[in-house]
Amino acid sequence: MKNYTILVTACALLASVESQAAAKVVQLSDLPDPVKAQVVKYSEGGTIKLLEEKNKNGGVEYEAEIIKNGMGLDVGIAADGTVFEVEHEIRYKEIPANLRGIARQEAAGEVFKCEKVLKNGKEFYEIFVLKGTEITEVKITPEGEIFKVQKKQLPAAVTDTAKKLAAGGKVDSYEIEKDALGHFTYEAEIELGDREFEVKIDKAGKVLSKESKSSTWTPSGSKISRTSLSLCSFEVASNISISLNP
């Protein structure tokens, strides 16, 4: 009998709002010396993306978001410098094959992010999967126990923008991409009559780019889909769009 926790969108959104309300962006110079020392240690050879101070459980905690070699590294640090959580972004293939098989039973779709987490001495993996407009997060231990499955929808600002652009047509699919700085953007494939477009949108609903999927002719006369070239380039560069479907 499965006894792991399943959280629905409303709970996830509530937790997110509460977390954001209690967080304050800070600079490295603002940190207590023990915290600063840990941030400097973990960010060596990388780039500090964001530092936050959070009031939690009656105390103060700090979170450092770091980018190393194009991969994310989030570190949770107590005010006394104790590191209580490390989330290290990894590639899907770095997760043991047996664990990937177990996770596949819970969430089929496109993997856009994976993390190896060490939290309060407990190690586990997080796998984030997109199918349609639904994001599923699966947490699984090295022993193969799934202890949490959380589902939520893509940001409403993203889907609202895509729907407006697709007025009179339809949104065919969504993908999530990550750039070298660790920023996630959303790509919507839109069909309007006999025309097809790829639109990149940020989490606030702002359109970043729009590209026609019409074919391009090469000098040799061969017909090549611009979309195929674009998607191939993305997959080689990011290594995060991997199908969970068998």
Side-chain angles (χ1 to χ4, degrees), residues 135-178:
I135 295 173
T136 301
E137 175 188 356
V138 179
K139 295 187 177 183
I140 184 169
T141 68
E143 295 74 33
E145 176 192 356
I146 293 178
F147 63 93
K148 185 176 180 181
V149 176
Q150 180 172 312
K151 296 180 181 292
K152 63 180 180 179
Q153 295 294 309
L154 288 174
V158 173
T159 54
D160 287 348
T161 295
K163 289 175 183 177
K164 289 178 182 177
L165 293 172
K170 68 174 183 177
V171 180
D172 188 56
S173 65
Y174 291 94
E175 290 185 5
I176 299 179
E177 300 182 0
K178 180 175 74 71

Side-chain angles (χ1 to χ4, degrees), residues 33-212:
D33 288 341
V35 178
K36 184 188 300 183
Q38 293 287 13
V39 172
V40 171
K41 172 185 173 182
Y42 278 93
S43 63
E44 184 177 0
T47 302
I48 299 173
K49 178 183 172 185
L50 179 68
L51 295 172
E52 288 185 327
E53 178 184 289
K54 299 180 179 181
N55 296 314
K56 193 172 182 180
N57 301 322
V60 178
E61 298 176 353
Y62 297 87
E63 181 176 335
E65 295 184 14
I66 299 164
I67 299 296
K68 278 189 177 183
N69 301 317
M71 305 297 279
L73 175 64
D74 294 353
V75 185
I77 311 168
D80 63 359
T82 301
V83 175
F84 59 85
E85 183 173 9
V86 178
E87 299 179 355
H88 191 179
E89 186 179 4
I90 60 175
R91 291 176 173 80
Y92 180 59
K93 65 182 180 182
E94 295 179 65
I95 297 176
N98 65 312
L99 302 185
R100 299 199 305 262
I102 295 171
R104 184 188 301 124
Q105 299 174 23
E106 297 298 331
E110 297 294 321
V111 175
F112 65 90
K113 184 178 181 181
C114 298
E115 292 180 331
K116 186 175 184 179
V117 182
L118 181 62
K119 184 174 183 179
N120 296 323
K122 181 179 179 181
E123 183 179 292
F124 57 92
Y125 296 93
E126 291 183 333
I127 302 174
F128 297 82
V129 183
L130 174 67
K131 184 175 183 180
T133 61
E134 184 177 78
I135 295 173
T136 301
E137 175 188 356
V138 179
K139 295 187 177 183
I140 184 169
T141 68
E143 295 74 33
E145 176 192 356
I146 293 178
F147 63 93
K148 185 176 180 181
V149 176
Q150 180 172 312
K151 296 180 181 292
K152 63 180 180 179
Q153 295 294 309
L154 288 174
V158 173
T159 54
D160 287 348
T161 295
K163 289 175 183 177
K164 289 178 182 177
L165 293 172
K170 68 174 183 177
V171 180
D172 188 56
S173 65
Y174 291 94
E175 290 185 5
I176 299 179
E177 300 182 0
K178 180 175 74 71
D179 63 21
L181 296 177
H183 300 126
F184 285 91
T185 58
Y186 305 84
E187 183 177 290
E189 293 195 6
I190 295 174
E191 294 183 13
L192 287 172
D194 59 353
R195 296 176 298 162
E196 297 182 355
F197 300 91
E198 287 181 351
V199 182
K200 290 186 178 181
I201 307 168
D202 70 12
K203 64 181 180 181
K206 179 182 177 181
V207 176
L208 303 176
S209 66
K210 182 178 179 182
E211 180 179 349
S212 172

